[in-house]
Amino acid sequence: MAKQRLPYTEDQERLARYAKALAHPARIYILQFLERQCACYVGNIVDELPMAQSSVSQHLKELKEAGFIQGAVDPPRVKYCINREQWLEAQALFAAFFGQGE
Amino acid sequence: MAKQRLPYTEDQERLARYAKALAHPARIYILQFLERQCACYVGNIVDELPMAQSSVSQHLKELKEAGFIQGAVDPPRVKYCINREQWLEAQALFAAFFGQGE
DNA sequence: TAACATCATCGTATTATTGCGATAAATTAA
DNA sequence: TTAATTTATCGCAATAATACGATGATGTTA
């Protein structure tokens, strides 16, 4: 039996990680917003979402840790934008995943 | 301010829902396995994964509830396969999402 | 300096996820 | 009928996710 196999492949782990970052509509919204705006401040995002500033900050942190976005301090504000390199990697992983069947 | 806006669009909700179903490497594995095998029994999947039968059953339940797979009783076993229609919908949602930037 | 603006982090509460063993349900085989 | 096989569900424990208000950190403006 294969029970003592190494758990999962690197790609499976990474895909699951990206998927988890996308597993909340607020984070989907933020990423789509950043796609349109190219870059924007935290306050702009807070104004758009139906939740507290601290909650938005938490979602931004998760997107950053997943690699989807990156922040740059622009005192007294923080400007966020898509991390294009990681975005493309995620895109490729999802495309490969969904491309298997067809 | 836009704080009293309807939370999220239908597509954002659905994409987040699909993403959540993909947010665990075991579920990625199961879907890829089903893609290769076309259809198989629960026991075949249990043999492949490093977790208890009850845990695998739980993951199958989540994939089924998300719409990715469907089961058919074939006594005394249950045969699972990809739900092609929903798979294609998820594929389209992810493609549209990642296609926005490029 | 003092007040303000912006954002991150802390502490907390609630709920969801993950995994397990045990058990139930359903069917088949002896 | 009894035993065996297969899968789902239950109950539990541990951990993670979600959201909030309060506070902290940092830099700006008055």
Side-chain angles (χ1 to χ4, degrees), chain B residues 30-48:
Chain B
I30 291 171
L31 290 174
Q32 291 179 328
F33 189 72
L34 284 179
E35 277 291 350
R36 289 199 308 274
Q37 310 292 318
C38 228
C40 69
Y41 299 109
V42 175
N44 303 130
I45 302 171
V46 171
D47 288 343
E48 292 292 317

Side-chain angles (χ1 to χ4, degrees), chain A residues 2-98:
Chain A
K3 280 293 192 183
Q4 60 275 27
R5 191 175 37 73
L6 268 187
Y8 307 104
T9 69
E10 188 62 37
D11 275 4
Q12 285 166 344
E13 297 273 9
R14 282 193 294 176
L15 187 54
R17 217 170 109 78
Y18 282 125
K20 183 179 258 183
L22 299 179
H24 193 293
R27 295 196 289 270
I28 298 285
Y29 185 99
I30 291 171
L31 290 174
Q32 292 179 327
F33 188 72
L34 286 178
E35 278 291 351
R36 289 199 308 273
Q37 309 291 317
C38 228
C40 69
Y41 299 108
V42 175
N44 304 131
I45 302 172
V46 171
D47 288 343
E48 292 292 317
L49 291 176
M51 53 176 55
Q53 176 264 323
S54 60
S55 302
V56 172
S57 193
Q58 174 67 21
H59 284 299
L60 288 171
K61 184 181 179 183
E62 287 177 41
L63 287 173
K64 189 168 58 180
E65 285 175 357
F68 275 117
I69 65 175
Q70 56 193 319
V73 288
D74 179 14
R77 298 180 287 183
V78 177
K79 185 184 289 185
Y80 277 100
C81 65
I82 299 287
N83 182 332
R84 200 56 57 181
E85 194 175 338
Q86 298 249 50
W87 176 276
L88 291 177
E89 190 200 40
Q91 180 182 48
L93 282 172
F94 277 99
F97 177 76
F98 281 108

